[in-house]
Amino acid sequence: MHSATVSLDPAFVVGPVRRRTFGSFVEHLGRCVYTGIHDPGHPTADADGFRGDVIELTRELGVSTVRYPGGNFVSGYRWEDAVGPVEQRPRRLDLAWHSTEPNLVGVDEFMRWAAKAGVEPMMAVNLGTRGVQEALDLLEYCNVPGGSFWADQRRANGAEDPYRIKMWCLGNEMDGPWQIGSKTPQEYGRLAAETARAMRMIDPGLELVVCGSSGSQMPTFGEWERVVLTEAYEHVDHVSAHAYYWEEDGDLASFLASVVDMDHFVESVAATADAVRAARKQTKRVHISFDEWNVWYQKRAESRPPSGDDWPVAPVLLEDRYNVADAVVVGNMLISLLRNTDRVHSASMAQLVNVIAPIMTEPGGRIWKQTIFHPFALTARHAAGEVLRLAIDSPVHKTARFGEVAVLDAVATHDAGSGDVVVFAVNRSLTGPVVLDVDLRGFPGMRVAEAVTLSNPDHTWSATADDDTSVLPRPNTSAKVADDRVRAELPPVSWSMLRLVRE
């Protein structure tokens, strides 16, 4: 049995818990929109065709922002196709996912769904096949009160008041060779700067996200960020980061240690942004929008889009079934995002429904929570106040990909208003439990209000529509406070939350 110690003190603060850390992502991909959020024939569907059960679970998940409409899809998207009378909207080929887009859901429908779900929209513009003017048209449609062509079109379409969308993504993964209209960093950086400058002429208060490299394993990574930010630094607020992890060739130990790469990713992007800041003699700091992250088994058959003459509407794509180990990694990724809250100011788990998602639906039928739903929902619900900088003393074990890695990883938050302290921890050991001691000398007089652990002796267990997933996670009855310490036993391959309150 391993032992680990976590020390925390209210004086050592990383930064605030940002509600935008708990964002999600809805792309016109597979069944995320159609038979996901939008399913007019479903018994819970409202007058707009949106599933009420999906909205209910979105709220339970604690989602703060939703990025829309892509993703790869946005790089070929003509947003004008999906406004106005539905019966007059054209069907278009979606080259990104070899599908047909019926345009039944567009900007106005999504904004009504976002209001019902209680989420902040994060809109993306097409800088693949389109450019500055189309981005300005969409911004005018969304944010200008009236008196201009596109603003009056919105009003004619039933939305009298402007949407006032604040966060905008300047394209998506523009260094990816799979991306429609992919570009060199010089080409994209110049286009992003021109688009950002023009958009601010309409709405100076926007928060703009420039595309970082598509991933830390890309040959463009690092140099892409440097060149793009050199072109656009003055005009943007955030640079995007995207990361997906999955278990390969049965190497569970390396998979459970994926956050080693995620932490390095954040550190590298932040360092590059700060180097450009210094070189350009800027005072403001560009932060990170980690607007795609999750576990995604990219080599599975369902991750490959259709081909040939078949262009289906809402095909089954990227519908990963998540197990307990996947949920532990997702919980650990949330630990990383919180730990880096000084630089990561926004994040979006990709995606919300059906497509590599915490929520699954049957067309016209049942809905259920995947294993990854639980660490996200509990972290979003209980992380509040400020993120604390921890001292972690943990044993290590060897991994094939990352070398020696700490068995235990953790983060803690402190809400000064309520006095609550919440510790989120993972045991990445494959073989044995970890006895965790949390040093509470900086927080005297605490008791355990809630302690839960997500684990299963079979870490390959996955939820299905027939399972009652409310049994995950379970109470951790080992958590006790004594002598200014809380002690809890964490099983192997597990995620845990300890919520402490004052006596």
Side-chain angles (χ1 to χ4, degrees):
M1 182 178 292
H2 300 297
S3 296
T5 302
V6 170
S7 300
L8 54 155
D9 189 287
F12 296 100
V13 173
V14 180
V17 175
R18 303 179 193 278
R19 298 323 304 169
R20 283 178 175 172
T21 299
F22 306 106
S24 189
F25 182 21
V26 166
E27 180 174 359
H28 286 248
L29 191 179
R31 297 195 311 114
C32 188
V33 174
Y34 305 114
T35 73
I37 68 170
H38 187 260
D39 192 355
H42 194 269
T44 70
D46 62 18
D48 291 314
F50 293 122
R51 287 182 62 147
D53 55 357
V54 171
I55 290 174
E56 182 180 339
L57 284 193
T58 299
R59 288 180 172 274
E60 182 181 338
L61 188 60
V63 172
S64 56
T65 64
V66 172
R67 182 169 173 248
Y68 177 86
N72 295 349
F73 172 82
V74 78
S75 289
Y77 186 46
R78 287 178 274 195
W79 68 269
E80 309 94 321
D81 288 346
V83 297
V86 172
E87 63 276 9
Q88 297 177 17
R89 298 179 187 180
R91 292 163 64 92
R92 299 286 191 186
L93 298 184
D94 167 26
L95 306 187
W97 300 107
H98 201 86
S99 307
T100 295
E101 173 52 54
N103 285 311
L104 302 177
V105 172
V107 173
D108 295 312
E109 287 82 10
F110 173 73
M111 292 303 297
R112 290 199 292 272
W113 178 86
K116 294 172 184 181
V119 301
E120 177 189 0
M122 182 180 183
M123 189 67 69
V125 300
N126 177 359
L127 294 188
T129 60
R130 312 188 89 179
V132 178
Q133 187 58 60
E134 291 83 3
L136 292 176
D137 292 345
L138 178 57
L139 176 60
E140 179 186 324
Y141 186 89
C142 291
N143 283 19
V144 172
S148 64
F149 178 81
W150 284 115
D152 287 345
Q153 283 289 103
R154 182 200 68 245
R155 297 174 69 184
N157 292 336
E160 182 71 21
D161 296 326
Y163 296 129
R164 300 293 189 193
I165 300 171
K166 192 171 183 64
M167 293 192 74
W168 293 77
C169 300
L170 302 173
N172 175 75
E173 294 185 354
M174 296 310 301
D175 65 333
W178 57 85
Q179 202 71 212
I180 304 169
S182 64
K183 293 171 173 56
T184 67
Q186 292 83 4
E187 290 171 335
Y188 170 70
R190 180 67 176 165
L191 176 58
E194 291 174 347
T195 305
R197 186 185 301 111
M199 289 176 73
R200 291 197 191 279
M201 291 178 181
I202 292 178
D203 191 339
L206 299 178
E207 291 185 43
L208 301 179
V209 183
V210 72
C211 289
S213 181
S214 303
S216 62
Q217 307 307 313
M218 292 286 291
T220 48
F221 178 61
E223 180 64 3
W224 172 275
E225 281 80 0
R226 185 193 69 79
V227 174
V228 167
L229 286 173
T230 297
E231 291 282 354
Y233 195 97
E234 293 91 332
H235 309 292
V236 300
D237 304 286
H238 311 279
V239 57
S240 71
H242 293 178
Y244 296 100
Y245 301 101
W246 61 95
E247 183 181 345
E248 290 191 89
D249 303 322
D251 185 5
L252 179 58
S254 294
F255 174 51
L256 290 170
S258 296
V259 158
V260 172
D261 179 76
M262 192 176 195
D263 285 336
H264 174 69
F265 194 171
V266 171
E267 178 185 354
S268 300
V269 173
T272 303
D274 288 347
V276 176
R277 173 177 179 257
R280 296 194 66 80
K281 300 177 177 59
Q282 291 290 303
T283 56
K284 77 167 186 179
R285 202 178 292 275
V286 167
H287 294 287
I288 296 170
S289 174
F290 219 120
D291 48 41
E292 287 189 32
W293 67 271
N294 204 346
V295 171
W296 174 17
Y297 289 85
Q298 298 183 12
K299 296 181 181 179
R300 288 180 178 172
E302 59 267 27
S303 287
R304 293 193 290 270
S307 60
D309 293 334
D310 184 22
W311 295 80
V313 174
V316 173
L317 279 173
L318 282 61
E319 297 198 9
D320 282 354
R321 296 300 195 265
Y322 290 117
N323 61 33
V324 172
D326 298 327
V328 172
V329 172
V330 164
N332 203 174
M333 294 173 82
L334 285 161
I335 288 172
S336 176
L337 293 172
L338 286 171
R339 177 166 53 229
N340 290 290
T341 192
D342 55 334
R343 296 313 302 264
V344 178
H345 284 206
S346 177
S348 305
M349 175 195 265
Q351 295 187 13
L352 181 64
V353 189
N354 292 328
V355 174
I356 51 173
I359 300 170
M360 296 298 296
T361 68
E362 293 175 340
R366 295 175 293 182
I367 188 170
W368 68 100
K369 305 170 187 175
Q370 295 231 61
T371 58
I372 64 173
F373 184 101
H374 302 287
F376 190 105
L378 284 166
T379 305
R381 186 182 311 154
H382 293 295
E386 295 177 314
V387 180
L388 301 180
R389 195 176 303 279
L390 305 185
I392 301 175
D393 183 7
S394 168
V396 299
H397 66 171
K398 290 184 178 180
T399 67
R401 182 177 175 190
F402 302 110
E404 287 193 340
V405 172
V407 168
L408 180 120
D409 196 16
V411 75
T413 63
H414 172 226
D415 186 348
S418 66
D420 291 3
V421 172
V422 185
V423 178
F424 305 95
V426 289
N427 177 5
R428 301 188 287 212
S429 170
L430 308 184
T431 56
V434 168
V435 174
L436 170 63
D437 276 318
V438 181
D439 186 343
L440 295 175
R441 284 175 293 180
F443 297 93
M446 305 295 284
R447 65 176 177 83
V448 177
E450 185 177 3
V452 294
T453 294
L454 188 153
S455 68
N456 192 307
D458 178 9
H459 64 262
T460 66
W461 182 89
S462 297
T464 69
D466 297 316
D467 285 319
D468 177 10
T469 59
S470 64
V471 301
L472 288 172
R474 296 177 174 86
N476 187 331
T477 57
S478 72
K480 308 289 183 183
V481 173
D483 300 324
D484 291 326
R485 287 177 177 266
V486 60
R487 173 170 289 187
E489 184 175 311
L490 312 185
V493 192
S494 67
W495 172 90
S496 295
M497 182 198 76
L498 304 172
R499 185 167 66 88
L500 310 170
V501 300
R502 295 207 177 276
E503 293 282 7

